[in-house]
Amino acid sequence: MAKKADGQARIHDQTLTRGNGGELHQVAEGDTPVLTTAQGGPVADDQNTLRVGARGPSLIEDFHFREKIFHFDHERIPERVVHARGYGAHGFFETYESLAQYTRADVFQRAGEKTPAFVRFSTVAGSKGSTDLARDVRGFAVKIYTKEGNWDIVGNNIPVFFIQDAIKFPDLIHSVKPEPDRGFPQAQSAHDNFWDFISLTPESMHMIMWVMSDRAIPRSFRFMEGFGVHTFRFLNANDETTFVKFIWKPKLGLQSVVWNEAVKISGADPDFHRRDLWDAIQSGNYPEWELCVQLFDQQFADVFDFDILDATKIIPEEVIKPLPVGRLVLDRMPENFFFETEQVAFMTQNVPPGIDFSNDPLLQGRNFSYLDTQLKRLGSTNFTHLPINAPKCPFHHFQQDGHMAMRNPTGRANYQPNSWGEGPREQPSRGFRSNTSVEEGPKVRLRAESFADHYSQARQFYKSQTPPEQNHIAAAITFELSKVETPVIRERVVAHLRNIDEGLARTVGGKLGLKKMPEPADAAVKTRTDLPPSSALSIIGNGPKSFMGRKLGVLVADGSDGALLDAVQAAAAEEGATVELVAPKVGGFTAADGTAVAAKHMIDGGPSVLFDAVVLLLAEDGGAQLAKEAAARDFVADAFAHCKFIGYTAGAAALLEKAAIPPSADEGLIVLDSAKSAAAFLKACRTLRVWSREPDVKL
Ligand code: HDE
């Protein structure tokens, strides 16, 4: 009998018997628990409603039916107003060294200590059921269950944001969500409302460079960075403060897909990112990130080129080197998606003693919003009673009652001070203390002048990209604006681009077919051209050092060389990569030596966009046969167009020819004829893509 963690048993081995009407009933026997109503009453028949005669009307007296349908009708809770689509996993955070010098946060005191954590990754704009590969920012929300309360770093995979003040958030989100009159497009920023808002909001320009870059189409949650975005504060035991920014760096390096691939993945596997995380954790390949901090003091803040309270700015890693302080490992999937991932409630205001906020107006607004949203979504002030949200350290307070109260406070005292000697008391020495910075000034609605430069870091980001990445940014903006139906909006965006990079503006303007370039947008502060490129900003420059954690798709058919397949699989295992076989039939194929081998996908269900590199392991007959099949030709043509490494046997010649790929087109096409060549191929795959091919494929 399979047991669930909560002690309930799953029903799987019941006896089948025939009911009165001849239909099959499953009857509990032996250890199998008896099906009951929610009130615990045993159920005799779960197949038929109570009715008058076999063909008569149903009776409202049927409390079992009524309860079952009532509960079903209320299964959905409101989806998150943003970040609705997400996927989570459990793990732990391990502290490298004591950071007592900077913070008294308990989680940073002892080297080697492991603290439980839960992470939820998400897209922002799409509904709960939207595709994983939408062009979008990814949420990267981490809850660390420290011994002094939950610490949530509710971050994104992009270190800056669209707006500088929280009051603009509803406008931003309204503009990107489906347009209200027509109810579309879903999970897309490529439409008039979004670009209208953006073109009228110059502070968004730095973020726009990031979301139009490949950062917005990651290959996997496992291969993306996470950022706390805002400046926070550390407070040590003496209440001395240090400013801090948080960055998660993936152990397996950065990787994204290309846009044409993203579009096709959305069709082939809308759950691509979920499945990837699930597969990795279930197979024991636990994803890992290093937590890095950028630490600085007021003196640095005073001289830095930009305002450290402005969430549209980064502090380049070359200016303040990120210091690794711990690692996050995800090693367990939730047992139930709804119970944990859907009900988890992250809140920026969840900080333990030793961590505090800065005056970033975006962060201050968020600290208000996240508590509010939990009540709407989870329906009760008691959402902290849910196991996923409850602290794992002891907690005592006098909050009581409310909807769905799950705790049973005992004793007479539900207030303090009290004369009964009961209940918890404050502890000034251990408790949370805010930093004591002196704040004064007139009550105003005013954006600081130090927030006024909207283009310099946008330019720095663009200039820090490799040529293929710059091309992708231009292509993405062109694509998005091509979906914008109002010409003046397109022109306004190009006018902003002129303040970022003239070449980029001209490329986009040219590809859009603008008759005449617009004047550069009015800028409050002239774009700085002296900011040095930052190599940390490029994905290609921060890719993996091996093919570890990546997936190889091997196209096989009857007659394929089994020994060579073994060699490819061994070489992939050596790299730490996984292999999936794609065959004309999912039942598998018969290798040249007569062995029957099972496949994971049939060709239609396993297009090459699902893999990081592919092998065409075909005998001559198999190659000739597949050359006639559109799905097989697409498999090869897409792998080539997406600049992937392609290993192939001589038998694949006909297929390559039909897919219009010259066999020795470039160094990414590698002949496989021995175990040695298989190993060399897998080694070549480490660079992931043959970017030199891209100008020729002209996607
Ligand atoms: Fe959020 N955001 N946000 N956000 N956010 C929410 O809280 C909000 C912002 C982020 O996996 C909501 O529980 C405001 C920046 C993540 O459950 C809501 C502002 C960053 C998640 C909310 C921002 C984020 C959310 C909706 C402008 C990156 C998903 C559901 C000031 C640093 C967490 C919920 C999860 C979710 C408000 C801006 C990250 C409505 C008002 C900047 C990763 O409270």
Side-chain angles (χ1 to χ4, degrees):
M1 171 85 43
K3 290 275 181 199
K4 282 177 113 176
D6 60 6
Q8 284 180 328
R10 282 181 214 277
I11 302 171
H12 62 77
D13 53 353
Q14 299 119 327
T15 310
L16 295 177
T17 67
R18 250 166 225 292
N20 292 345
E23 63 287 281
L24 287 176
H25 281 226
Q26 298 186 319
V27 174
E29 263 195 356
D31 278 353
T32 310
V34 171
L35 180 72
T36 69
T37 64
Q39 305 285 350
V43 172
D45 184 341
D46 193 35
Q47 322 298 322
N48 304 291
T49 45
L50 188 65
R51 55 180 84 104
V52 180
R55 302 181 58 250
S58 299
L59 296 173
I60 54 172
E61 177 190 325
D62 187 349
F63 58 83
H64 168 53
F65 166 74
R66 167 89 175 97
E67 180 200 80
K68 186 174 176 181
I69 296 295
F70 153 78
H71 202 278
F72 171 77
D73 288 344
H74 297 273
E75 274 178 9
R76 295 289 173 275
I77 60 174
E79 65 174 32
R80 289 165 173 84
V81 59
V82 281
H83 296 264
R85 174 144 183 103
Y87 206 54
H90 292 274
F92 62 85
F93 175 73
E94 184 177 348
T95 308
Y96 285 164
E97 301 291 342
S98 167
L99 289 185
Q101 182 190 351
Y102 302 108
T103 173
R104 68 189 181 99
D106 185 76
V107 66
F108 288 122
Q109 300 309 303
R110 295 162 295 276
E113 185 167 289
K114 291 183 179 168
T115 308
F118 186 81
V119 177
R120 183 174 179 272
F121 303 105
S122 48
T123 51
V124 177
S127 282
K128 223 181 137 214
S130 55
T131 167
D132 279 349
L133 259 292
R135 172 177 292 286
D136 202 349
V137 190
R138 296 301 183 286
F140 192 128
V142 184
K143 190 183 281 294
I144 304 180
Y145 302 90
T146 86
K147 290 186 175 135
E148 288 189 338
N150 292 348
W151 176 28
D152 295 354
I153 310 181
V154 198
N156 280 344
N157 74 330
I158 289 179
V160 288
F161 203 62
F162 294 95
I163 47 173
Q164 296 174 320
D165 188 313
I167 200 168
K168 295 308 297 167
F169 193 61
D171 300 296
L172 165 72
I173 299 304
H174 287 176
S175 81
V176 72
K177 287 268 184 181
E179 300 194 4
D181 52 354
R182 59 209 69 185
F184 61 83
Q186 175 62 247
Q188 281 181 58
S189 50
H191 59 111
D192 284 55
N193 276 10
F194 177 72
W195 285 98
D196 184 31
F197 176 79
I198 291 301
S199 66
L200 298 170
T201 310
E203 72 204 58
S204 66
M205 283 305 135
H206 187 194
M207 180 69 167
I208 283 298
M209 287 295 111
W210 284 80
V211 277
M212 293 300 117
S213 81
D214 296 343
R215 297 262 175 173
I217 39 173
R219 154 69 176 82
S220 156
F221 299 136
R222 299 181 294 138
F223 311 146
M224 60 186 205
E225 289 177 312
F227 301 90
V229 175
H230 315 280
T231 297
F232 289 83
R233 285 173 188 266
F234 273 158
L235 267 81
N236 68 13
N238 302 324
D239 286 344
E240 292 156 346
T241 72
T242 309
F243 289 117
V244 54
K245 281 189 168 253
F246 299 106
I247 308 177
W248 299 102
K249 298 239 173 213
K251 190 177 160 198
L252 294 175
L254 301 184
Q255 185 184 344
S256 283
V257 299
V258 294
W259 176 242
N260 182 272
E261 202 182 1
V263 170
K264 289 173 178 164
I265 292 172
S266 289
D269 185 4
D271 305 304
F272 189 64
H273 284 160
R274 291 188 170 195
R275 196 183 307 280
D276 175 88
L277 190 65
W278 170 272
D279 285 349
I281 293 180
Q282 300 300 59
S283 62
N285 294 316
Y286 302 137
E288 190 173 323
W289 288 260
E290 204 156 54
L291 178 63
C292 299
V293 292
Q294 286 179 300
L295 298 172
F296 55 97
D297 55 16
Q298 187 62 51
Q299 218 180 347
F300 170 84
D302 292 341
V303 299
F304 180 52
D305 295 327
F306 302 95
D307 197 321
I308 57 127
L309 301 181
D310 176 358
T312 68
K313 305 295 183 306
I314 58 163
I315 301 178
E317 295 191 9
E318 289 76 9
V319 176
I320 295 185
K321 197 170 163 358
L323 176 74
V325 295
R327 67 185 187 121
L328 171 75
V329 178
L330 298 182
D331 59 3
R332 183 164 61 88
M333 291 310 300
E335 291 199 342
N336 181 280
F337 176 85
F338 180 87
F339 192 61
E340 302 184 301
T341 307
E342 191 59 10
Q343 294 198 111
V344 66
F346 292 95
M347 306 204 290
T348 47
Q349 61 271 50
N350 281 354
V351 287
I355 300 175
D356 200 1
F357 314 111
S358 69
N359 289 345
D360 175 341
L362 204 62
L363 175 60
Q364 301 267 326
R366 293 180 73 198
N367 286 346
F368 173 81
S369 174
Y370 287 74
L371 184 59
D372 215 24
T373 207
Q374 308 314 342
L375 181 59
K376 168 72 186 170
R377 212 167 60 77
L378 298 167
S380 165
T381 48
N382 291 320
F383 68 90
T384 55
H385 293 201
L386 294 167
I388 193 70
N389 296 324
K392 295 194 193 296
C393 60
F395 55 93
H396 312 276
H397 52 74
F398 294 108
Q399 295 163 25
Q400 66 172 29
D401 303 353
H403 282 290
M404 298 290 163
M406 295 294 168
R407 295 191 192 115
N408 185 15
T410 54
R412 183 174 186 181
N414 56 358
Y415 59 94
Q416 66 106 351
N418 64 60
S419 307
W420 320 128
E422 283 183 11
R425 294 289 186 275
E426 312 99 324
Q427 195 182 43
S429 61
R430 258 188 70 193
F432 184 86
R433 290 195 303 275
S434 299
N435 79 86
T436 53
S437 59
V438 178
E439 310 288 350
E440 63 179 325
K443 231 190 246 182
V444 285
R445 292 181 183 273
L446 196 63
R447 198 76 61 92
E449 270 183 36
S450 51
F451 281 42
D453 180 348
H454 304 317
Y455 300 107
S456 299
Q457 281 205 343
R459 176 184 173 82
Q460 183 182 31
F461 177 79
Y462 181 72
K463 290 290 187 191
S464 302
Q465 306 300 308
T466 59
E469 290 170 310
Q470 288 189 339
N471 292 339
H472 296 172
I473 293 173
I477 301 175
T478 309
F479 172 86
E480 298 262 320
L481 294 180
S482 77
K483 301 280 179 184
V484 169
E485 289 164 6
T486 312
V488 67
I489 298 177
R490 293 184 212 141
E491 284 160 24
R492 260 192 250 141
V493 175
V494 176
H496 287 297
L497 297 181
R498 292 197 66 184
N499 290 339
I500 296 172
D501 183 78
E502 190 59 28
L504 173 64
R506 291 205 173 273
T507 306
V508 173
K511 287 186 174 189
L512 286 173
L514 294 193
K515 300 273 173 301
K516 164 170 157 300
M517 285 297 273
E519 285 302 310
D522 284 343
V525 173
K526 203 168 169 297
T527 313
R528 287 178 56 170
T529 53
D530 60 333
L531 298 178
S534 162
S535 59
L537 301 181
S538 154
I539 297 175
I540 294 178
N542 294 278
K545 302 206 170 25
S546 76
F547 200 55
M548 184 183 258
R550 271 68 184 179
K551 200 183 271 185
L552 181 68
V554 181
L555 188 61
V556 285
D558 286 345
S560 289
D561 181 343
L564 189 56
L565 176 59
D566 288 346
V568 168
Q569 282 176 319
E574 185 70 22
E575 282 287 311
T578 48
V579 174
E580 288 182 359
L581 301 188
V582 183
K585 292 179 188 159
V586 75
F589 71 103
T590 307
D593 63 1
T595 324
V597 185
K600 169 90 177 172
H601 307 275
M602 64 181 277
I603 303 174
D604 236 359
S608 62
V609 292
L610 302 183
F611 308 108
D612 297 293
V614 299
V615 163
L616 315 176
L617 209 156
L618 299 167
E620 207 164 308
D621 281 359
Q625 188 56 39
L626 291 190
K628 295 182 200 146
E629 293 192 23
R633 292 196 302 268
D634 285 351
F635 184 97
V636 184
D638 275 347
F640 187 73
H642 300 147
C643 303
K644 288 177 183 167
F645 282 87
I646 302 174
Y648 67 98
T649 55
L655 179 57
L656 283 167
E657 195 191 322
K658 281 283 178 197
I661 300 168
S664 52
D666 56 45
E667 75 276 12
L669 281 143
I670 296 175
V671 177
L672 296 186
D673 52 13
S674 63
K676 202 167 152 216
S677 59
F681 170 72
L682 261 302
K683 210 167 152 200
C685 289
R686 290 176 184 179
T687 45
L688 299 178
R689 310 257 178 177
V690 188
W691 291 117
S692 57
R693 187 189 295 157
E694 202 175 30
D696 299 331
V697 290
K698 293 196 171 49
L699 263 183

